[in-house]
Amino acid sequence: AGTFELKLAPVKVRGVIDAAVLGLRERLKQNRIELDIRIEPGIDEFVADGPRVTQILYNLLANAIGFSSPGSRIVLSCTHEDDKLAFTVEDEGCGIPDEYQASVFERFESRANGSGHRGAGLGLSIVKSLVQLHGGEVVLTSTPGHGTKISARLPLAHEAAVEPEPRRYGSSRAG
């Protein structure tokens, strides 16, 4: 309900991925879902809010688990795309019909689409908000019956924010 404030610092890609996966290991195991992690060679770190990136990845993975069948596979990849780092989660789930794709990032929008997925519909809304707050974008591609692929594209670096000079009213010095 409130607003997010980013605390930017160098972030290790493997660290945020491991932190996100840690909270989901039991669900992956219970559902017999294989998680394939692929990090493009040469990618090590970028500037972002680490805990918020972990939250983005956690929500994307949790969503993919919720729409995946037992025994299936989810791929989490991290690649360079121009001046952005793309974290992509791809599942083999039921997919999203074209008419619902535009609304999946809206708050409280949750559709089971024949899966056992249940939720308040906030996960992808939070993803979109956090990615946009970083100056990035979210891209979804999905084919009903063949799964969904969601990419969170985050800037590799951020310009240092320049704070405006404080306004001074009046002066204690003469002259």
Side-chain angles (χ1 to χ4, degrees), residues 11 21 25 45 61 76 79 84 86 90 105 121 127 132 135 138 156 167:
V11 173
V21 171
R25 284 200 194 284
E45 69 178 28
L61 288 168
L76 167 58
T79 58
K84 293 190 172 33
E90 190 168 3
F105 295 103
V127 165
Q132 288 178 337
V138 179
L156 280 167
R167 288 187 158 184

Side-chain angles (χ1 to χ4, degrees), residues 29-75:
K29 185 177 173 182
Q30 285 174 351
N31 291 301
R32 299 181 332 273
I33 296 172
E34 175 190 345
L35 177 62
D36 184 2
I37 298 172
R38 303 174 185 173
I39 302 172
E40 184 179 299
I43 294 178
D44 181 41
E45 69 178 28
F46 67 117
V47 176
D49 183 319
R52 299 299 186 201
V53 174
T54 297
Q55 187 175 8
I56 289 167
L57 298 177
Y58 178 92
N59 287 2
L60 289 175
L61 288 168
N63 190 69
I65 292 167
F67 286 99
S68 294
S69 301
S72 63
R73 180 172 63 116
I74 294 171
V75 177

